[in-house]
Amino acid sequence: MKEVKPRRTFWQRYMDKYGIRKLPREIVRPFEVCGADYLDDKELRIAPSWGMEMWLYILRNLAYTAAFVGLIVSVVAPTKFDTPIYSKLFFISLAVGVILHIASYLIPKRQAVFDRTTGMVRTPNHPLIRKKASETPFEEWEAITTFHYTQIGSPTYRLFIRNTKIPYIVLVGASSTFDEVLGMWSFLLQYMKKDAPLPDVQSFKKYPNRTKGLGSWEEWKWKSRLSDFVDPYEVAKARMEQEQAEKKHNNAVGTKKPHTPAA
């Protein structure tokens, strides 16, 4: 499959603004459940945070707001206002709001599906152009994070996963701590091992085959305070950076033309 540059979507521009940090493909924290719309022992589904559903939600609320304004003005406004105009605004806006409200329920949700049984990730394409979903192996996906402060000054880390072979980015979750973001990625890595035990989290208590991974968060906090503690994330990060440097070096050597001595 030909590698393409991801489209500059809303989240792509967001990542360009706040910078990205690539995560090693290793379990480095206790498991933290992702922000899933649906989760069982076979599938995890995540709806995009910015898409058709969000636009319908915004437009519907704008229509209801316009209808409310039209109703208030047409009822309580002084006679100098042209109240028939506001009456029309009320009825038209209300009708538009109801139509958008119904449409938000009738239009199927576009979700990224992580299929544990096959090890594949299904991502939806644009509903008006191509209705068939793309399906790629989970091994081709990588995790990246961004960090910024909100308007009220609270720190926010966001976890994205992306596949450079298809123009799609999935927002997996957000947290105020980097540890929880690493926990979400660790959860997803363990979950997508189809022949391995499920992550031992509350959502999977009814399934017998589970693993605690690196233990609970309480155990982690205790171990991280010990003087001989070695952070698995730092170890995995150093290993990843070394592998990337070696790969870059090998690619650079491979592109050099061999020197042929003069006759």
Side-chain angles (χ1 to χ4, degrees), residues 2 35 40 50 63 83 89 93-94 103 123 128 130 133 138-139 147 182 186 192 199 202 219 245:
K2 184 179 178 181
D40 64 10
W50 193 267
T83 53
L89 175 65
S93 299
L94 181 62
T123 53
L128 301 179
R130 295 168 58 192
F138 178 68
E139 287 76 14
F147 171 78
L182 292 177
S186 298
M192 289 302 288
Q202 187 64 36
E219 294 170 341

Side-chain angles (χ1 to χ4, degrees), residues 43-57:
E43 282 188 353
L44 181 153
R45 303 174 190 169
I46 300 177
S49 297
W50 193 267
M52 182 74 71
E53 295 82 9
M54 181 60 72
W55 282 115
L56 287 174
Y57 174 80

Side-chain angles (χ1 to χ4, degrees), residues 116 194-200 204-211:
R116 173 176 163 86
K194 59 182 179 180
D195 297 323
L198 288 164
D200 189 10
F204 295 142
K205 287 299 181 183
K206 63 180 180 180
Y207 302 106
N209 189 22
R210 305 189 307 271
T211 177

Side-chain angles (χ1 to χ4, degrees), residues 30-207:
F31 299 129
E32 185 73 25
V33 179
C34 305
D37 289 348
Y38 175 84
L39 176 64
D40 64 10
D41 64 327
K42 296 181 176 61
E43 282 188 353
L44 181 153
R45 303 174 190 169
I46 300 177
S49 297
W50 193 267
M52 182 74 71
E53 295 82 9
M54 181 60 72
W55 282 115
L56 287 174
Y57 174 80
I58 293 174
L59 294 175
R60 181 192 70 190
N61 286 350
L62 288 175
Y64 283 151
T65 301
F68 178 77
V69 172
L71 176 64
I72 295 299
V73 174
S74 62
V75 172
V76 304
T79 55
K80 64 180 181 179
F81 286 95
D82 190 1
T83 53
I85 294 179
Y86 292 99
S87 299
K88 292 179 181 178
L89 175 65
F90 166 72
F91 288 109
I92 294 175
S93 299
L94 181 62
V96 171
V98 170
I99 292 173
L100 293 175
H101 203 130
I102 296 173
S104 64
Y105 286 97
L106 294 180
I107 297 177
K109 268 192 172 182
R110 301 176 65 240
Q111 296 174 315
V113 180
F114 297 81
D115 193 329
R116 173 176 163 86
T117 59
T118 62
M120 304 294 283
V121 180
R122 295 193 299 275
T123 53
N125 287 315
H126 196 286
L128 301 179
I129 301 175
R130 295 168 58 192
K131 295 184 179 180
K132 187 177 180 181
S134 300
E135 192 170 52
T136 52
F138 178 68
E139 287 76 14
E140 295 181 354
W141 292 75
E142 63 181 14
I144 55 178
T145 66
T146 62
F147 171 78
H148 75 285
Y149 289 98
T150 63
Q151 294 178 347
I152 60 174
S154 60
T156 301
Y157 294 88
R158 294 185 185 273
L159 174 64
F160 301 87
I161 65 168
R162 66 181 182 183
N163 186 334
T164 57
K165 295 182 179 179
I166 61 173
Y168 201 84
I169 296 172
V170 180
L171 173 62
V172 175
S175 173
S176 60
T177 67
F178 186 55
D179 280 342
E180 288 189 356
V181 165
L182 292 177
M184 294 178 195
W185 177 229
S186 298
F187 169 86
L188 194 56
L189 289 172
Q190 181 66 35
Y191 178 80
M192 289 302 288
K193 296 177 182 178
K194 59 182 179 180
D195 297 323
L198 288 164
D200 189 10
V201 295
Q202 187 64 36
S203 302
F204 295 142
K205 287 299 181 183
K206 63 180 180 180
Y207 302 106

